[in-house]
């Protein structure tokens, strides 16, 4: 299939960044340019990851030589007759013709680099600006990025001087491209090793700890205590911002030129605040004899930005708190159901959404009990062991990939074995699994890391524009060196392996790093070995302990005094929220029962048959109630009717499945 696999992957890969953007961004509230920039940056990076295995298999199909001589013998073992025959290497269905991949890589790579170094930083400042007009936001973005772009200009001039004075270099466009790519990849590799060293240990530990319900519950209590503090701070910041908005709104009337800016700020406030301030502005008449202090345009811009940040943070903490409560209630239910003898999972609170056909017929309470209380922990432990083996293989290969005789890198050994047998499907699958694991370790760290409140990816459509664009910048800067590092692990980067063989199209676009020997033979080989120290530091939780000492509480273990105090505080918060929800549900249940009884009583007072009135009511209002609630309601209804009529009235058996 001539380029068919390439076209299919280009289309299918698009849905992965689209799904992530839908999960973290908000299509209706955020600016279209922010969504487009983030989607394009993520899409280009995922394209590099998913298309690179096809590039590797295409090179393996061209090297070793397609035609090889094999000695065959006749059927008579006594008179062997050597015959020279040809064993043809058939091209795989995913083979990409010559000339397509170089153009593809050139477009993808340079587009992603223009995004990460030029456009996304500008869009980041533009989106977080508090300006009220497009020219004002552009001016603010240019001022904020003046130092940023000035640094690039200094680096560019330094590269030009280096090219001019170096005796072996000529000032050519190709040489300038190679040095620019080397500089970008060096910066990316520096950050890549830090994130990879953390992810190689953290991801297996994450799944191993997820199999321990007690650990998960204690950590959830710890996060609840921290999030409650953040939620309180966000509410205070929101109140302060709204108070300042109220003062400004009171001082500026409808006839003032700055009133348009005030209305823009009010539209960023909660709806109840908007209605309150509009009502106050309508009731108050402006007194001309009273001198008012009007704010400046710059102070309104600052206030606008403050309101946007406060509103975003307030919404984030509210959503995170609701999600954390559901997670804590579920983990407490798991701990309670572990000792259940009926082997049926019972939830403390009903879901607001009715169960679908999957939950109704396949994921029954019995299956849910076996999965949550028995199977899940063993599946997570098995997955953690498999991920640990992959992590060990990556660490070993990172420390030995420069050795070509003998070949010590495990990934290079697997690829060379498959290459000798012309097993292109195995080559593609091995490359895909390997590079996918590296990407998961790096990208998951990007999604999990938090830099105070400036960068934080929050799911459920709560991520702000600044964090979305910053994640796109990180992706574009990390993906090219990650792929080059992977090609070095499988000995397909000649600048590192020093082997004479056909290069992948991706490597040719990156340029020959042999021209920069101090990078190709030094930094690219020895710096990845630092990953061993980073893995050890992550396993010993050195970073977590340092943050804890600096005053940023981190979950270490329950033996730590600060951790145990926060766990107890979080447990009390969850217990209080559980009581509040239980009381609200009980009140709602009593309202429903009262409504049913009132409806039934009014019907019975008219002399109608209670059975004919209760049966349709029972079928309409009790679609998915809990069994004990149905039992109590039917008992109350039978008792109420029996007291009034003292006759033979029978109601549906509450023990039935309906």
């Amino acid at each position: 299939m001539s380029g068919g696999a390439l076209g299919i992957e280009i289309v299918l890969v698009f849905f992965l960044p689209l799904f992530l953007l839908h999960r973290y961004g908000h299509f209706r509230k955020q600016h279209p340019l922010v969504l487009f920039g983030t989607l394009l940056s993520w899409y280009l990076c995922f394209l590099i990851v998913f298309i690179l295995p096809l590039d590797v298999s295409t090179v393996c199909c061209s090297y070793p030589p397609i035609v090889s001589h094999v000695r065959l013998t006749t059927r008579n073992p006594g008179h062997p007759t050597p015959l020279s025959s040809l064993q043809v290497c058939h091209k795989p269905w995913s083979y990409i013709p010559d000339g397509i991949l170089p153009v593809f890589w050139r477009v993808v790579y340079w587009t992603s680099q223009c995004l990460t170094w030029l456009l996304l930083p500008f869009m980041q400042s533009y989106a977080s600006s508090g300006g009220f007009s497009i020219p004002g936001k552009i001016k603010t973005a240019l001022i904020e990025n003046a130092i940023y772009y000035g640094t690039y200009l200094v680096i560019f001039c330094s590269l030009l001087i280096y090219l001019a004075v170096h005796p072996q270099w000529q000032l050519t466009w190709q040489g300038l491209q190679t040095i620019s790519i080397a500089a970008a990849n060096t910066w990316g590799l520096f950050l890549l090793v830090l994130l990879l060293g953390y992810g190689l240990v953290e991801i297996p530990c994450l799944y191993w700890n997820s199999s321990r319900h007690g650990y998960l519950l204690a950590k959830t209590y710890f996060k609840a205590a921290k999030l409650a503090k953040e939620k309180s701070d966000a509410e205070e910041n929101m109140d302060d911002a709204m108070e300042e908005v109220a003062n400004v709104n009171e001082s500026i009337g409808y006839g003032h030129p700055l009133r348009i800016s005030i209305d823009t700020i009010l539209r960023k406030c909660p709806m109840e605040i908007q209605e309150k301030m509009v009502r106050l502005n309508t009731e108050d008449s402006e007194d001309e004899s009273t001198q008012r202090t009007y704010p400046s345009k710059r102070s309104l811009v600052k206030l606008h930005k403050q309101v946007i940040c406060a509103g975003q943070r307030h919404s984030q903490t509210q959503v995170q708190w609701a999600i954390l409560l559901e997670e804590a209630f579920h983990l407490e239910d798991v701990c309670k159901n572990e000792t259940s003898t009926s082997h049926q999972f019972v939830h403390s609170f009903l879901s607001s959404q009715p169960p679908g056909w999957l939950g109704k017929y396949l994921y029954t309470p019995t299956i849910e009990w076996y999965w949550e209380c028995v199977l899940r922990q063993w599946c997570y432990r098995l997955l953690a062991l498999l991920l640990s083996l992959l992590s060990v293989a990556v660490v070993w290969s990172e420390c030995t990939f420069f050795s070509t005789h003998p070949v010590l890198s495990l990934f290079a050994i697997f690829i060379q074995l498959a290459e000798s047998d012309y097993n292109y499907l195995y080559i593609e699958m091995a490359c895909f699994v390997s590079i996918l694991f590296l990407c998961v370790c790096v990208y998951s760290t990007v999604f999990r890391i938090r830099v105070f409140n400036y960068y934080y990816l929050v799911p459920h459509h709560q991520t702000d524009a600044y964090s979305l664009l910053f994640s796109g910048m990180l992706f574009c800067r990390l993906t090219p060196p990650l792929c080059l590092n992977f090609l070095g692990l499988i000995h397909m980067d000649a600048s590192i392996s020093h082997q004479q063989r056909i290069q992948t199209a991706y490597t040719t676009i990156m340029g020959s790093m042999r021209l920069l020997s101090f990078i190709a033979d030094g930094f690219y080989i020895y710096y990845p070995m630092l990953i061993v120290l980073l893995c050890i530091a992550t396993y010993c939780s050195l970073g977590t302990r340092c943050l804890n000492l600096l005053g940023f509480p981190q979950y270490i273990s329950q033996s730590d005094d600060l951790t145990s105090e926060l766990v107890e505080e979080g447990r009390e918060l969850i217990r209080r929220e559980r009581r509040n929800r239980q009381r609200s549900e009980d009140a709602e249940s009593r309202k429903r029962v009262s409504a049913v009884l009132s409806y039934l009583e009014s019907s019975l007072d008219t002399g109608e048959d209670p059975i004919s009135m209760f049966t349709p009511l029972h079928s309409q209002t009790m679609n998915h109630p809990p069994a004990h609630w149905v039992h109590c309601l039917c008992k109350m209804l039978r008792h109420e009717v029996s007291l009034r009529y003292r006759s033979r009235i029978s109601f549906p058996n509450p023990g039935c499945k309906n």
Side-chain angles (χ1 to χ4, degrees):
M1 181 181 295
S2 179
L6 179 63
I8 293 174
E9 289 204 14
I10 289 176
V11 175
L12 294 180
V13 169
F14 177 76
F15 294 98
L16 178 58
L18 186 64
F19 167 76
L20 291 176
L21 185 60
H22 173 71
R23 175 175 173 80
Y24 289 92
H26 200 294
F27 289 158
R28 295 182 179 178
K29 293 183 179 180
Q30 288 170 337
H31 198 280
L33 289 179
V34 173
L35 298 174
F36 177 75
T38 306
L39 179 63
L40 182 60
S41 59
W42 289 357
Y43 178 55
L44 294 176
C45 295
F46 288 135
L47 275 180
I48 297 176
V49 172
F50 281 84
I51 302 299
L52 190 62
L54 300 182
D55 194 359
V56 173
S57 65
T58 301
V59 170
C60 293
C61 183
S62 304
Y63 182 91
I66 296 179
V67 180
S68 61
H69 294 276
V70 181
R71 293 179 60 86
L72 301 177
T73 59
T74 59
R75 293 184 179 180
N76 190 353
H79 301 83
T81 304
L83 298 175
S84 179
S85 64
L86 298 178
Q87 182 183 7
V88 180
C89 167
H90 298 284
K91 294 180 180 180
W93 75 278
S94 59
Y95 179 81
I96 301 175
D98 297 337
I100 295 180
L101 280 179
V103 176
F104 175 81
W105 289 131
R106 190 174 291 109
V107 172
V108 170
Y109 177 77
W110 287 111
T111 304
S112 64
Q113 294 306 298
C114 289
L115 282 173
T116 186
W117 297 107
L118 297 177
L119 296 180
L120 291 184
F122 177 81
M123 295 172 61
Q124 203 173 18
S125 300
Y126 180 89
S128 60
S129 173
F132 299 100
S133 62
I134 295 178
K137 291 185 177 182
I138 293 176
K139 180 181 177 181
T140 303
L142 290 176
I143 294 175
E144 290 183 357
N145 287 274
I147 300 177
Y148 188 79
Y149 291 117
T151 305
Y152 290 162
L153 184 60
V154 172
I155 295 176
F156 181 75
C157 294
S158 302
L159 293 177
L160 290 180
I161 296 174
Y162 177 80
L163 288 175
V165 301
H166 200 280
Q168 298 180 355
W169 280 77
Q170 294 181 355
L171 191 58
T172 61
W173 177 249
Q174 187 67 29
L176 186 60
Q177 280 185 345
T178 302
I179 293 183
S180 301
I181 293 173
N185 289 337
T186 302
W187 188 97
L189 184 63
F190 177 80
L191 183 60
L192 173 68
V193 172
L194 298 179
L195 299 180
L196 186 61
Y198 176 81
L200 288 174
V201 176
E202 184 63 22
I203 290 181
C205 292
L206 177 65
Y207 281 97
W208 181 266
N209 292 329
S210 297
S211 64
R212 302 160 54 193
H213 294 153
Y215 173 88
L216 281 181
L217 188 57
K219 191 172 183 179
T220 303
Y221 290 150
F222 179 85
K223 292 192 293 185
K226 288 184 59 179
L227 187 57
K229 178 66 168 55
E230 296 177 8
K231 181 169 170 286
S232 177
D233 293 341
E235 291 174 353
E236 291 181 2
N237 293 335
M238 190 68 179
D239 293 339
D240 294 340
M242 292 302 101
E243 183 179 356
E244 191 170 351
V245 170
N247 295 333
V248 173
N249 178 69
E250 184 179 355
S251 64
I252 297 180
Y254 281 105
H256 198 276
L258 293 178
R259 188 62 207 179
I260 300 177
S261 302
I262 298 298
D263 293 338
T264 303
I265 296 176
L266 288 177
R267 285 194 291 269
K268 305 296 173 59
C269 300
M271 187 59 63
E272 59 273 10
I273 301 296
Q274 297 183 31
E275 296 175 354
K276 179 180 178 181
M277 293 188 181
V278 170
R279 185 172 59 254
L280 290 177
N281 244 26
T282 304
E283 295 176 355
D284 295 342
S285 59
E286 187 173 357
D287 189 1
E288 297 181 357
S289 62
T290 304
Q291 294 184 356
R292 298 177 181 268
T293 303
Y294 297 106
S296 62
K297 185 76 172 182
R298 180 174 297 180
S299 62
L300 289 181
V301 170
K302 184 179 179 180
L303 178 61
H304 187 203
K305 185 174 182 179
Q306 179 184 355
V307 170
I308 293 175
C309 296
Q312 184 70 41
R313 187 62 192 144
H314 181 265
S315 177
Q316 287 180 355
T317 53
Q318 294 294 330
V319 173
Q320 287 179 293
W321 181 253
I323 296 173
L324 188 63
L325 287 181
E326 295 295 334
E327 181 181 353
F329 294 156
H330 176 73
L331 291 174
E332 289 179 344
D333 291 343
V334 171
C335 293
K336 292 179 181 178
N337 282 273
E338 283 181 343
T339 57
S340 174
T341 57
S342 61
H343 294 177
Q344 287 192 349
F345 199 90
V346 179
H347 294 273
S348 299
F349 305 104
L350 291 178
S351 176
S352 58
Q353 299 293 334
W357 66 271
L358 182 63
K360 191 174 182 179
Y361 299 104
L362 296 181
Y363 198 61
T364 61
T366 302
I367 296 178
E368 185 177 5
W369 185 89
Y370 278 102
W371 167 248
E372 294 289 347
C373 302
V374 180
L375 298 177
R376 182 174 183 173
Q377 54 183 349
W378 291 107
C379 291
Y380 275 29
R381 290 175 183 175
L382 179 61
L383 182 58
L385 292 176
L386 294 177
L387 293 176
S388 301
L389 294 178
L390 283 175
S391 297
V392 171
V394 170
V395 173
W396 171 262
S397 299
E398 290 284 359
C399 296
T400 59
F401 71 94
F402 58 88
S403 175
T404 56
H405 301 287
V407 179
L408 298 179
S409 174
L410 298 179
F411 296 100
I413 294 174
F414 296 151
I415 297 299
Q416 290 179 7
L417 289 176
E419 185 181 1
S420 62
D421 295 334
Y422 299 101
N423 193 342
Y424 302 111
L425 180 61
Y426 176 81
I427 292 175
E428 293 174 5
M429 293 304 299
C431 290
F432 177 74
V433 172
S434 303
I435 196 172
L436 182 63
F437 177 69
L438 294 176
C439 290
V440 168
C441 293
V442 175
Y443 293 164
S444 64
T445 308
V446 174
F447 278 97
R448 289 164 55 87
I449 196 173
R450 178 178 180 179
V451 183
F452 300 105
N453 291 328
Y454 296 103
Y455 172 74
Y456 187 30
L457 292 175
V458 186
H460 299 278
H461 321 291
Q462 296 301 316
T463 305
D464 57 279
Y466 188 93
S467 299
L468 285 176
L469 293 172
F470 191 76
S471 67
M473 293 168 54
L474 288 179
F475 272 45
C476 292
R477 298 180 187 184
L478 291 171
T479 304
L482 185 146
C483 294
L484 275 181
N485 180 258
F486 169 73
L487 292 176
L489 294 181
I490 62 176
H491 292 175
M492 285 198 173
D493 188 358
S495 61
I496 297 177
S497 62
H498 302 285
Q499 292 180 336
Q500 298 296 330
R501 62 169 301 160
I502 300 177
Q503 296 294 301
T504 61
Y506 184 80
T507 308
T508 58
I509 297 303
M510 293 292 103
S512 178
M513 295 302 169
R514 292 181 181 179
L515 299 175
L516 302 173
S517 58
F518 65 93
I519 294 180
D521 299 332
F523 184 79
Y524 282 0
I525 291 179
Y526 297 106
Y527 180 70
M529 295 182 184
L530 186 63
I531 200 172
V532 178
L533 299 179
L534 293 173
C535 289
I536 295 175
T538 305
Y539 182 78
C540 297
S541 303
L542 294 183
T544 302
R545 298 179 188 276
C546 290
L547 289 175
N548 205 28
L549 291 176
L550 293 175
F552 301 99
Q554 303 292 320
Y555 185 85
I556 300 176
S557 63
Q558 294 195 42
S559 59
D560 183 71
D561 294 336
L562 179 60
T563 302
S564 60
E565 291 178 3
L566 290 176
V567 168
E568 291 299 325
E569 181 182 349
R571 180 182 287 109
E572 184 59 33
L573 288 172
I574 297 299
R575 186 180 296 117
R576 184 180 63 188
E577 291 292 336
R578 177 181 284 274
R579 288 196 300 266
N580 293 337
R581 179 171 294 190
Q582 188 66 51
R583 281 196 294 265
S584 62
E585 288 202 355
D586 290 343
E588 186 66 23
S589 299
R590 285 194 295 269
K591 289 181 181 179
R592 293 179 182 177
V593 171
S594 299
V596 170
L597 292 177
S598 300
Y599 180 73
L600 183 60
E601 184 178 14
S602 61
S603 302
L604 293 175
D605 288 339
T606 59
E608 300 181 15
D609 185 10
I611 299 297
S612 62
M613 300 305 302
F614 175 74
T615 303
L617 184 64
H618 180 274
S619 60
Q620 293 175 6
T621 60
M622 300 182 184
N623 291 329
H624 305 285
H628 68 278
W629 197 85
V630 175
H631 177 77
C632 294
L633 180 58
C634 292
K635 185 177 180 180
M636 291 175 61
L637 290 174
R638 261 200 309 273
H639 179 69
E640 179 71 18
V641 175
S642 63
L643 289 178
R644 289 181 60 88
Y645 286 89
R646 303 289 185 181
S647 59
R648 297 179 180 180
I649 301 176
S650 61
F651 288 89
N653 188 359
C656 297
K657 294 183 179 180
N658 59 347

